[in-house]
Amino acid sequence: MVVKNTEYILDIVSQGYEGEGIAKVDGYPIFIEGALKGEKVKVKVVKVNKNFAYGKLLEVIEKSEGRVEPKCEYFKRCGGCKLQHMDYKTQLDFKWERVKDCIKKIGGLSEELVEYPIGMEEKPYEYRNKVQLPIGMVKGKPALGFYAPRSHDIIDIEECLIQEEDANKISKITREWIEEFNIMPAFVDGKFNKKGLLRHVMIRKGFKTGEVMVVIIATRKDLTHMNELIRKLEFHIEGLKSIILNINSRDTNVILTPEFYTLWGEDYIKDYIGEFKFNISPLSFFQVNPEQTEVLYGKTLEYAELAGEETVFDAYCGTGSITLFLSQKAKKVYGVEIVEPAIVNARENAKMNCVSNAEFFVGKSEEVIPKLIKEGVKADVIVVDPPRKGCDIKLLKAIGETKPERVVYVSCDPSTLARDLKILDELGYRTEKVQPVDMFPQTAHIENVARLVRK
């Protein structure tokens, strides 16, 4: 029996889905953050539940060959990068095992379907083109950075290793501006302050264009000393294209509201994925790792196996980025998305890139796609890229009834992917392969592309 507040010497036998080490005492699992498979560790049990416990890592007695010293000084306190104590090969191995485990245990499929992850071998750092940094007062001092794990405690961070260099510069300039002019944050020690002004700063950068957007999220429009901040940013940030103010006066975890004011420059920045150009506004969805996005979309296009005569449905199409990639080799692509502003952006993106064989619809994919089929539109290929919760069961059934030759499933969650692949298998579709793509090095997240064919 495992006892709380007791110390144990344990062998780590596997990794949990979030990267935590798992040890077992008479079959009873103990989850230990920071421990790696193959290590012998000294642990203090801090929480005991009926079916599992949590332990605090006190000492690594025998180290894994995959253990490295984290490069980031905030690693143990920040809730962002959970895997920096693993070398990059070990990170990819862990993600591979995670996807295989989901495919086998949840999907009931062979783990041999899962290819080895495509990673960022050269530089698995500085890959984020977007960051949202909360601002608050912590113990009487302004803090700007990231939240600690499972809390709203802000860790004041001067340099983040996975975000781009300009983002770190803008963070530093904003912090200095707050201190110089005593700008009061809207959160003090985690609690909302009605008299406070600043909530977040959001930074976006076009990696291929070099264009930079800064969005200041404040509680009211008459934010003091904004001209001084604008001048500092204009002087120090070479690619600065846009400075925007967003107003959010509510006590909420929601970061952005629809109320925007362009203070300097343009309303959006531009960037490319492959040959396609996109306008990026503060609310636009755009993949945060542009290098790996090209890999992900390229694999999607490869798995669609288009010869030029196919009609393709792109469900959950967002702003149409995958739709445009598919349009290169399809006769016609229909993109469907429930968020109307995203479809407005998708149509603009298609027009800007002179794509004439893509058409977009607002609505639920599980309702729009069956309607198109009733109207006589037959899909040869269906591509789905759902949110983390996976596909709506109605859409999966609609795919089964539509009987396209191929289905390509893009997923940001291996668990819901595996669940949906099992359902599609029962509906007559055989999974041929699953290709993980590491979009988020140093974290436990992994994207996947699955190719399915009609049995």
Side-chain angles (χ1 to χ4, degrees):
M1 180 179 178
V2 173
V3 180
K4 185 179 177 181
N5 294 326
T6 303
E7 294 182 4
Y8 296 86
I9 305 295
L10 300 171
D11 293 318
I12 306 301
V13 295
S14 61
Q15 303 285 156
Y17 281 1
E18 295 299 316
E20 66 274 54
I22 302 176
K24 292 188 176 180
V25 176
D26 296 328
Y28 178 82
I30 303 173
F31 292 84
I32 304 136
E33 194 167 314
L36 299 183
K37 182 179 177 180
E39 293 185 331
K40 185 181 289 291
V41 296
K42 185 177 182 181
V43 172
K44 181 179 180 180
V45 174
V46 293
K47 188 175 182 179
V48 176
N49 294 321
K50 181 180 179 182
N51 297 317
F52 59 89
Y54 292 104
K56 181 180 179 181
L57 181 63
L58 300 178
E59 180 186 351
V60 179
I61 298 169
E62 295 178 10
K63 290 185 179 181
S64 162
E65 291 182 0
R67 178 175 287 278
V68 293
E69 189 64 29
K71 292 185 177 182
C72 179
E73 62 179 291
Y74 309 102
F75 170 70
K76 291 184 178 179
R77 295 185 291 144
C78 174
C81 303
K82 292 187 175 182
L83 305 185
Q84 275 199 31
H85 60 307
M86 299 181 186
D87 65 32
Y88 193 51
K89 175 65 166 59
T90 303
Q91 289 184 32
L92 294 178
D93 289 346
F94 154 69
K95 294 180 183 187
W96 191 34
E97 292 300 325
R98 180 188 172 194
V99 177
K100 289 195 294 183
D101 192 62
C102 289
I103 293 299
K104 183 178 179 180
K105 291 181 179 177
I106 301 172
L109 303 172
S110 170
E111 62 179 31
E112 293 181 2
L113 296 171
V114 184
E115 305 284 329
Y116 193 76
I118 301 172
M120 298 184 70
E121 299 293 351
E122 290 188 13
K123 192 179 183 183
Y125 290 96
E126 296 181 22
Y127 60 81
R128 289 192 65 95
N129 60 13
K130 174 188 172 185
V131 64
Q132 298 175 141
L133 302 168
I135 302 169
M137 290 292 287
V138 178
K139 297 180 181 179
K141 293 183 178 181
L144 189 154
F146 295 99
Y147 292 121
R150 297 174 292 279
S151 81
H152 281 91
D153 298 334
I154 300 173
I155 308 299
D156 192 38
I157 292 176
E158 292 189 6
E159 181 184 20
C160 172
L161 299 182
I162 65 169
Q163 69 188 31
E164 201 275 335
E165 184 181 354
D166 276 337
N168 287 319
K169 285 183 183 178
I170 293 165
S171 172
K172 183 175 183 291
I173 290 166
T174 306
R175 183 186 290 102
E176 291 172 350
W177 170 70
I178 292 168
E179 293 173 345
E180 181 178 356
F181 296 102
N182 294 314
I183 310 294
M184 177 58 69
F187 291 90
V188 178
D189 294 325
K191 294 182 180 179
F192 185 65
N193 172 25
K194 291 182 180 180
K195 296 180 180 180
L197 296 172
L198 285 181
R199 300 175 65 101
H200 283 76
V201 58
M202 183 176 82
I203 304 151
R204 306 189 80 148
K205 180 167 182 177
F207 272 32
K208 290 191 176 179
T209 62
E211 296 182 358
V212 177
M213 170 185 287
V214 179
V215 182
I216 302 296
I217 297 96
T219 56
R220 56 178 186 261
K221 191 176 178 182
D222 59 334
L223 184 59
T224 57
H225 301 288
M226 271 305 300
N227 287 335
E228 286 85 347
L229 177 60
I230 290 170
R231 282 197 293 270
K232 286 175 182 286
L233 292 171
E234 191 179 0
F235 181 78
H236 290 286
I237 306 302
E238 184 177 341
L240 189 66
K241 194 81 173 180
S242 174
I243 301 176
I244 295 173
L245 180 66
N246 180 251
I247 307 303
N248 185 350
S249 59
R250 298 179 181 178
D251 182 5
T252 174
N253 291 331
V254 175
I255 296 175
L256 296 174
T257 71
E259 189 176 352
F260 291 96
Y261 301 93
T262 300
L263 305 179
W264 183 93
E266 300 185 14
D267 298 339
Y268 54 82
I269 59 173
K270 293 183 177 69
D271 203 12
Y272 289 83
I273 303 176
E275 297 178 358
F276 294 104
K277 180 168 65 174
F278 295 88
N279 287 337
I280 306 168
S281 68
L283 286 173
S284 294
F285 172 78
F286 199 72
Q287 293 280 9
V288 300
N289 185 333
E291 180 182 330
Q292 290 294 84
T293 298
E294 288 195 28
V295 174
L296 184 75
Y297 289 1
K299 189 59 67 172
T300 303
L301 186 58
E302 176 192 327
Y303 281 6
E305 200 178 327
L306 302 175
E309 295 301 317
E310 294 87 356
T311 298
V312 183
F313 290 162
D314 181 12
Y316 309 99
C317 72
T319 56
S321 50
I322 290 181
T323 317
L324 297 190
F325 260 68
L326 295 167
S327 74
Q328 297 174 90
K329 295 188 176 182
K331 181 179 180 181
K332 181 80 174 185
V333 188
Y334 296 89
V336 184
E337 170 61 54
I338 194 171
V339 180
E340 188 171 359
I343 288 295
V344 172
N345 286 341
R347 288 169 180 157
E348 291 172 349
N349 290 329
K351 186 177 179 181
M352 182 168 57
N353 289 281
C354 301
V355 173
S356 58
N357 62 336
E359 191 172 346
F360 296 95
F361 297 86
V362 178
K364 295 180 179 179
S365 295
E366 61 270 19
E367 294 175 0
V368 174
I369 287 177
K371 184 180 177 184
L372 287 170
I373 294 162
K374 283 183 180 179
E375 293 172 356
V377 181
K378 175 165 174 26
D380 301 296
V381 179
I382 293 181
V383 176
V384 297
D385 183 10
R388 193 167 296 278
K389 65 180 181 179
C391 288
D392 188 288
I393 186 64
K394 292 179 182 177
L395 176 61
L396 297 176
K397 288 181 178 178
I399 291 172
E401 292 169 4
T402 305
K403 295 181 172 60
E405 290 301 315
R406 292 175 295 285
V407 176
V408 182
Y409 194 131
V410 183
S411 169
C412 59
D413 188 295
S415 300
T416 54
L417 169 66
R419 178 201 68 198
D420 291 351
L421 292 184
K422 182 177 182 180
I423 294 170
L424 286 166
D425 186 76
E426 294 165 355
L427 292 169
Y429 283 86
R430 182 180 76 254
T431 301
E432 285 196 332
K433 61 177 70 175
V434 178
Q435 176 62 70
V437 179
D438 190 19
M439 299 278 283
F440 307 100
Q442 318 307 326
T443 80
H445 300 295
I446 183 73
E447 296 266 340
N448 294 276
V449 188
R451 172 183 158 87
L452 300 91
V453 296
R454 188 153 63 94
K455 294 179 184 178

